[in-house]
Amino acid sequence: MSSPAVPSVLFVCVHNAGRSQMAAAFLTRLGGDGVRVRSAGSAPADAVNPAVVEAMKEAGIDISAETPKVLTADAVQSSDVVVTMGCGDACPYFPGKRYLDWTLDDPAGQGVRAVRPIRDEIERRVRGLLAELGVEVTR
């Protein structure tokens, strides 16, 4: 008996230093082996935003070793769902992919206090996405 394919999700924002990193970390934590996760940026920063790292640490997730990655057409093509967060026209479009656009405040230049509500909203949306994908929350 074959098991259903594991869905693949790509989170994209401009710098891959904040929103997309948080979303990928939450999906990885909450979805476990039930989902494949990627994140990328159309113009990646040199490092993940330190306030984002701190806010995620408060949520029990360490993303301090993560690095921003460049968005490639291959990453989009190999994903079932592409979640954009302000990447605008820089995100390649491929027919047959499911695209979601999450409008969220940009944590760039913000302190941890301003990042917390963004983090919490991302977690809420990730939980909703897992439910839509039929993936059981592992935690």
Side-chain angles (χ1 to χ4, degrees):
M1 183 188 271
S2 65
S3 60
V6 173
S8 177
V9 178
L10 170 65
F11 293 102
V12 182
C13 66
V14 175
H15 300 298
N16 190 223
R19 295 166 289 188
S20 57
Q21 290 282 352
M22 288 189 282
F26 275 123
L27 193 63
T28 298
R29 167 67 63 88
L30 298 171
D33 294 335
V35 65
R36 287 191 316 266
V37 184
R38 295 179 186 85
S39 71
S42 53
D46 293 329
V48 176
N49 179 332
V52 167
V53 172
E54 182 62 31
M56 291 302 287
K57 188 179 291 183
E58 291 175 359
I61 301 174
D62 182 5
I63 62 169
S64 62
E66 295 297 325
T67 56
K69 294 164 274 312
V70 69
L71 176 64
T72 65
D74 286 344
V76 176
Q77 282 184 302
S78 60
S79 299
D80 299 310
V81 180
V82 179
V83 181
T84 59
M85 303 173 185
C87 76
D89 295 336
C91 190
Y93 177 82
F94 292 96
K97 300 293 171 192
R98 179 177 174 204
Y99 287 86
L100 302 172
D101 185 39
W102 290 358
T103 303
L104 297 157
D105 291 336
D106 189 346
Q110 304 290 328
V112 70
R113 184 177 180 152
V115 173
R116 286 181 189 124
I118 301 167
R119 173 202 64 201
D120 295 346
E121 177 61 16
I122 289 171
E123 180 181 9
R124 185 188 71 73
R125 291 183 189 204
V126 164
R127 287 179 180 277
L129 179 59
L130 284 167
E132 289 175 26
L133 294 172
V135 176
E136 188 174 327
V137 172
T138 61
R139 192 182 150 136

